[in-house]
Structures are given as structure tokens and as C-alpha cells.
Amino acid sequence: MDADQHDHRTEIRDFLASRRAKITPGQAGLPTSGRRRVPGLRREEVAVLAGVSTEWYTRLEKGHISGVSEDVLAAVAQALQLDEDERTYLFDLARAARPARRTPSRRRDVAVPPRISWLLDSITMSAAFVRNGRLDVIAHNALGRALHAPMFDSPTTDKGGRPNFARYHFLDDTSHDFFVDWEAGAAATVALLRAEAGREPHDRALRELIGELSTLSRDFRTLWAAHDVRIRHDGVKRLQHPEAGELELTYQSVDLPVSQRVVHDLSLYTAEPGSTSEDHLKLLASLAATAHHAANTDTTQTDQPH
């Protein structure tokens, strides 16, 4: 067995075991009498709930998922009471196990089409940005740049100045000041990367990112070991901005297909109408528009023939 296949089986084993440990017999509708050596359900109890043999489920939990039918996977997902994101992740793991063995490859980044840049620039009262599955910000409007200025100005950006939410969150201490609810944001960030690892198990850049964060951040290692998964990203974000002060914003992410193969994520941050946060966001939008105009003016003057 090569290292790639071993890692995949380990991921399946740890994910299923972690979900099994979260369910009590009472939650599963099973008798609760008697002393139990481990928290959660036993393997044989999951097998009964899923309608399969204990031997079969034990083999599945050891990572032998290739060839398992979707009906059986659905039964296991129901027995483990997986939510929609966890269920999708389990099916992604099964799909990744079916093709012939592959070595990790460096996936080519797909450029954001001009129409997407025009769309972002047309949004003036919401901070908008596009990110890939590795949580790199690959396009943004002026307010999106201004709102996340601490992250864009962080030394954790790459050589091209492109920020990454995970690197900023875990490798820059200023993120603790910027994100008011740092712990919740950190957990969501790791869960998003976990879901991407299920979708793209052969993405070398993603593996390198996870390896880097695991090596340099104890917080990341702890959260990664929890095997939590998140696909959809929306809710409320509280930020302590160096120029605009405290902001409480709602955010929504939607799928953004940029090619037949690649789907990125479009995120929008906005404030409740009439709120103090809306006033602060308007101030930030004004500052961003002024800076953007000044930058364009300087560029135009520089391009003029002398």
C-alpha cells in the first residue's frame, strides 16, 4: 500500500470513529443499561443500525470503502446521524477511493474571468471576494480589500500578495484581535479545509498547506484532529477593524463556477440597515473608494508620456 492510499484509509477510519464517538446509545434509540468502556456507540451497534454485519462495518471503518454502494453508505450515514455536510464528505471519501491510485498533483489555478471582476467592482455597499477551496482570496472588490486589510497586509500572504484565511488565522497573532470570535472562526476555517481535502484528496498544494499549518500551529492540529466538516459558510462575523472599529456583519457564500471543472466561492459581507455597523461599513467604503480612485489616478499619470 502506498502512502497516499494509507493516508486516505486513515482519514476514513478517523472520521467514522469520531462520528461514532459522538452518539450515545440513547440518542440512537438503543438500550443504555450496563457499563461502557468507550464513549459513543460500539461498532456492532452501528452495524445493527445500518443493517450490515459487524465484520463488514469494521472493515469499512478500517478504510476499505472502495466499491461500497451508495445505498449502504447512506445507511451508515443515517446510523451515525451525519448532517448534510458530513454525509457529503463521506461520499467524497468514497468517490476518491474508487479511481486508480494517483499521486498528488499541483492543480492549476483557474484565473477569474473578467466578468467576475466586473461583478465584484459593481458591488459597492458589500464587501465581496472570491476564494478557492484552499481559502486563498483570488479576487475582491475595493471594500473587500479594505475590510480585510489586516489579512492583506499580513506577512502570511504569498509572494504575489494573495492572502489565505487559514494562514492568517493560525500563523498571525494579530488575527486574535481582528476576529472577535476567533475560536469559532478558527473551527469553521479548519472544517472548510477538511471538506476540501475530501473533495480534492490529490491536490498537492492543499496537502502542503495542511502540513504547514499542522507543523506550525498547535491550535490547528487540535482542530484538525476533531474531523469536523463544513461546506456551506454563512452567518454573523464580528470584526475589530483598525479604521472602522467594531463591525457586526452578516455573510453569505455561494458557489461560483468559473470553468467546467472548477467552482470557487463568492462571499458577501454586509451590515444590517440602520445599524451602527452599517455606518462604520459606509465609512470604510468611502475610504476604500477614495484610496482606489487615488491609486488609479497615480497609475494613469505614471502611464502618461513625458
Side-chain angles (χ1 to χ4, degrees):
M1 184 191 304
D2 63 14
D4 187 30
Q5 189 177 14
H6 179 268
D7 289 345
H8 193 68
R9 287 187 178 179
T10 300
E11 173 56 34
I12 295 164
R13 180 197 68 198
D14 291 347
F15 175 67
L16 291 175
S18 70
R19 300 310 96 173
R20 177 165 57 85
K22 287 189 170 186
I23 305 172
T24 65
Q27 291 171 328
L30 297 173
T32 57
S33 60
R35 299 184 63 181
R36 305 177 70 87
R37 292 180 300 171
V38 295
L41 298 179
R42 302 185 180 100
R43 285 176 175 173
E44 57 266 29
E45 291 170 331
V46 177
V48 169
L49 292 169
V52 299
S53 69
T54 300
E55 292 76 14
W56 188 95
Y57 178 75
T58 298
R59 179 175 170 78
L60 174 63
E61 197 172 286
K62 288 182 177 180
H64 299 279
I65 201 171
S66 179
V68 177
S69 71
E70 291 191 357
D71 288 343
V72 171
L73 282 178
V76 170
Q78 184 174 356
L80 293 174
Q81 300 182 15
L82 303 187
D83 63 25
E84 183 178 351
D85 287 355
E86 292 169 333
R87 187 179 186 277
T88 299
Y89 181 66
L90 177 62
F91 275 74
D92 282 341
L93 291 176
R95 174 182 51 79
R98 288 178 187 132
R101 286 182 285 181
R102 294 170 49 190
T103 55
S105 59
R106 190 169 298 280
R107 210 171 58 192
R108 291 181 58 189
D109 286 330
V110 177
V112 174
R115 67 178 185 277
I116 302 301
S117 298
W118 303 337
L119 169 66
L120 292 172
D121 289 340
S122 72
I123 301 171
T124 57
M125 277 312 299
S126 291
F129 60 88
V130 176
R131 63 168 176 79
N132 60 22
R134 296 188 295 270
L135 307 187
D136 299 314
V137 178
I138 56 177
H140 54 82
N141 67 358
L143 184 52
R145 167 66 173 83
L147 181 65
H148 293 94
M151 183 174 68
F152 276 84
D153 297 336
S154 169
T156 59
T157 58
D158 65 15
K159 294 180 180 179
R162 185 173 67 175
N164 177 278
F165 274 98
R167 282 197 180 95
Y168 178 64
H169 228 114
F170 292 99
L171 303 182
D172 191 328
D173 289 340
T174 68
S175 67
H176 290 264
D177 299 321
F178 182 57
F179 297 117
V180 176
D181 304 306
W182 187 91
E183 290 81 4
T189 297
V190 175
L192 288 167
L193 283 181
R194 174 69 73 178
E196 179 68 3
R199 285 189 298 264
E200 298 292 344
H202 306 292
D203 183 352
R204 185 185 302 167
L206 176 62
R207 288 190 170 202
E208 290 172 353
L209 172 63
I210 293 168
E212 174 190 3
L213 296 172
S214 297
T215 301
L216 299 177
S217 172
R218 183 193 308 178
D219 290 322
F220 181 86
R221 289 195 300 273
T222 300
L223 290 168
W224 187 254
H227 289 269
D228 291 331
V229 179
R230 185 167 183 174
I231 295 175
R232 299 299 172 191
H233 199 37
D234 53 60
V236 175
K237 183 82 71 175
R238 294 195 300 156
L239 307 173
Q240 186 63 44
H241 196 277
E243 290 185 289
E246 187 165 339
L247 293 158
E248 183 173 301
L249 307 173
T250 61
Y251 65 96
Q252 180 69 49
S253 297
V254 296
D255 288 343
L256 182 68
V258 294
S259 73
Q260 291 183 341
R261 172 69 177 83
V262 177
V263 177
H264 288 326
D265 178 278
L266 171 63
S267 294
L268 300 166
Y269 286 60
T270 191
E272 180 182 352
S275 66
T276 302
S277 290
E278 184 188 39
D279 293 337
H280 291 178
L281 194 62
K282 285 180 177 179
L283 170 63
L284 195 59
S286 177
L287 294 173
T290 300
H292 183 69
H293 176 73
N296 286 342
T297 299
D298 290 343
T299 301
T300 301
Q301 291 175 349
T302 301
D303 292 340
Q304 292 292 331
H306 297 284

